[in-house]
Amino acid sequence: TGTGKTYASAFAMRELGFERVLFLVHRLTLAKQALTSFQNVFGNKKSMGIVGAGNTGYDKDYIFAMVETLHKEENLRKFKQDEFDCIILDEAHHSPANTYQRVMEYFKPKLFLGMTATPDKREDNDLSKNVYELFNHQIAYEIRLQQAMEEELLCPFHYFGITDLSVVQDTKSKNLSHEEFNKLICDERVEHILEQANYYGCSGERVKGLVFCSRKQECQQLSAKFNDLGYRTVALSGDDSEEIRQNAFERLAMDEENATDKEPLDYIFSVDILNEGVDIVEVNQVIMLRPTQSPIVFIQQLGRGLRKAPGKEYVVILD
């Protein structure tokens, strides 16, 4: 995460001299981010457009398409099977999914290029869905966290493991009793979280934090309690539109003095949706409230804070 996969793919397309390229993503935000990065590399040498969410840039040289739109038969048929020199699959750990498979089976490019920060991720732990296999076990380039840190591509992190309240026993099970759930959101726990967050602090003028929870309801209740105590927070889940999410990201990233029509946020509470593909480089504190047995989810959440930003010397991780 954060080591420049998109730019690496743009430089590769430039060096290979590829004329027509399809860049496949699963969310509109990612399509826009990738298009901007490619424009920074190519300038006006290639025409670029987005396909999906109402955008119809089918005739462009470089197309940034949402897989949900493109995998439909009528949209695939708009292209010849050998239309593209290269198809780039962003967040390629999703590529075993049916939607991606439909696209991969239809097209016959010179090259399929998969990029992901979590190649070992299995959808629902299904071992038959192996990302390496899809790409013939050919790895063009690999960089792990340790090396990225040594090469100063990422922001250093200060990690603190903190004991939760002894009354709180959050298990991986989603079905907590009413009483158990109330302990997760009790005032005592909120005070404990805030006390630790303030004690360990952050790098920069003000906190710009992400809080990962296990459940939607926990997110909403904790966010409300933080707000009652004078903090500015929102809770985001999969139910929220791209527009609502984007608005929250902008408010978290902004500085106090630039706040004109929007109020800055101190924290965004979320369940799962911020694990990947979100570039809020300004994040300077990450609080992990969810128990995770998955090293992949752990690294994804850690990665949300590892991007470099002006005035940010390190990110604080409170687990």
Side-chain angles (χ1 to χ4, degrees):
T1 294
T3 50
K5 294 186 290 295
T6 310
Y7 276 100
S9 67
F11 296 140
M13 297 306 101
R14 189 180 68 185
E15 297 308 306
L16 293 163
F18 283 162
E19 294 300 324
R20 288 214 78 191
V21 172
L22 174 64
F23 194 107
L24 212 53
V25 298
H26 68 294
R27 290 228 312 279
L28 180 62
T29 325
L30 301 178
K32 288 177 176 171
Q33 284 170 3
L35 185 137
T36 304
S37 300
F38 268 67
Q39 279 175 336
N40 291 342
V41 171
F42 286 95
N44 297 324
K45 292 185 182 132
K46 296 275 182 249
S47 62
M48 298 186 191
I50 290 177
V51 163
N55 300 284
T56 53
Y58 287 96
D59 57 342
K60 305 296 185 199
D61 300 329
Y62 282 27
I63 296 170
F64 299 81
M66 289 165 67
V67 70
E68 279 305 321
T69 304
L70 197 70
H71 86 278
K72 293 174 182 151
E73 193 73 23
E74 67 269 22
N75 295 331
L76 280 176
R77 297 277 167 213
K78 291 179 178 159
F79 301 106
K80 297 197 296 288
Q81 288 186 291
D82 61 354
E83 184 103 24
F84 298 104
D85 297 313
C86 180
I87 294 180
I88 301 168
L89 299 115
D90 190 36
E91 306 284 0
H93 52 274
H94 290 303
S95 54
N98 294 339
T99 46
Y100 281 84
Q101 281 304 301
R102 222 162 282 156
V103 177
M104 290 181 86
E105 281 160 14
Y106 179 78
F107 287 113
K108 305 283 179 272
K110 294 173 189 161
L111 174 69
F112 277 112
L113 175 62
M115 307 188 299
T116 172
T118 50
D120 307 306
K121 182 166 185 165
R122 302 273 185 275
E123 296 299 330
D124 311 322
N125 293 324
D126 180 350
L127 295 180
S128 67
K129 295 180 174 174
N130 185 323
V131 176
Y132 293 102
E133 246 169 53
L134 275 179
F135 297 91
N136 302 316
H137 295 274
Q138 290 186 307
I139 298 171
Y141 186 72
E142 175 175 35
I143 185 165
R144 296 273 170 175
L145 184 59
Q146 184 80 30
Q147 189 191 342
M149 285 289 177
E150 284 163 11
E151 294 186 18
E152 298 185 1
L153 291 172
L154 298 175
C155 174
F157 63 91
H158 297 180
Y159 173 91
F160 302 99
I162 297 167
T163 312
D164 209 335
L165 298 185
S166 55
V167 295
V168 176
Q169 295 298 321
D170 190 2
T171 62
K172 286 207 301 180
S173 155
K174 292 284 182 201
N175 305 322
L176 289 185
S177 70
H178 188 62
E179 187 186 355
E180 286 169 324
F181 179 77
N182 283 344
K183 285 177 183 169
L184 283 184
I185 58 160
C186 67
D187 293 346
E188 198 184 342
R189 189 182 193 215
V190 172
E191 278 164 33
H192 181 55
I193 294 164
L194 280 170
E195 200 177 297
Q196 303 297 333
N198 292 330
Y199 176 75
Y200 290 106
C202 63
S203 165
E205 293 290 305
R206 68 177 192 89
V207 70
K208 298 175 181 181
L210 296 180
V211 186
F212 289 100
C213 305
S214 306
R215 300 161 185 77
K216 210 187 310 182
Q217 205 185 344
E218 181 190 0
C219 264
Q220 290 161 348
Q221 304 261 16
L222 286 175
S223 172
K225 292 208 167 185
F226 268 57
N227 293 347
D228 290 344
L229 293 169
Y231 288 83
R232 301 163 302 184
T233 79
V234 294
L236 291 182
S237 74
D239 300 340
D240 292 306
S241 69
E242 201 70 56
E243 201 178 331
I244 289 173
R245 295 181 200 188
Q246 213 46 52
N247 183 41
F249 300 160
E250 281 166 23
R251 289 175 61 195
L252 188 73
M254 64 175 30
D255 292 319
E256 296 290 350
E257 57 273 19
N258 301 343
T260 45
D261 54 336
K262 290 179 182 173
E263 186 185 35
L265 286 175
D266 302 313
Y267 289 101
I268 292 176
F269 287 79
S270 95
V271 189
D272 291 341
I273 61 159
L274 300 182
N275 287 7
E276 62 187 36
V278 174
D279 294 348
I280 316 171
V281 298
E282 296 82 0
V283 167
N284 55 18
Q285 194 185 74
V286 176
I287 302 179
M288 300 179 175
L289 295 183
R290 54 167 284 173
T292 177
Q293 306 299 313
S294 159
I296 290 160
V297 170
F298 178 83
I299 290 285
Q300 280 182 328
Q301 296 185 350
L302 173 73
R304 293 307 112 219
L306 294 182
R307 291 178 187 272
K308 291 183 160 185
K312 172 177 153 186
E313 288 172 40
Y314 56 87
V315 58
V316 171
I317 312 290
L318 305 178
D319 186 351

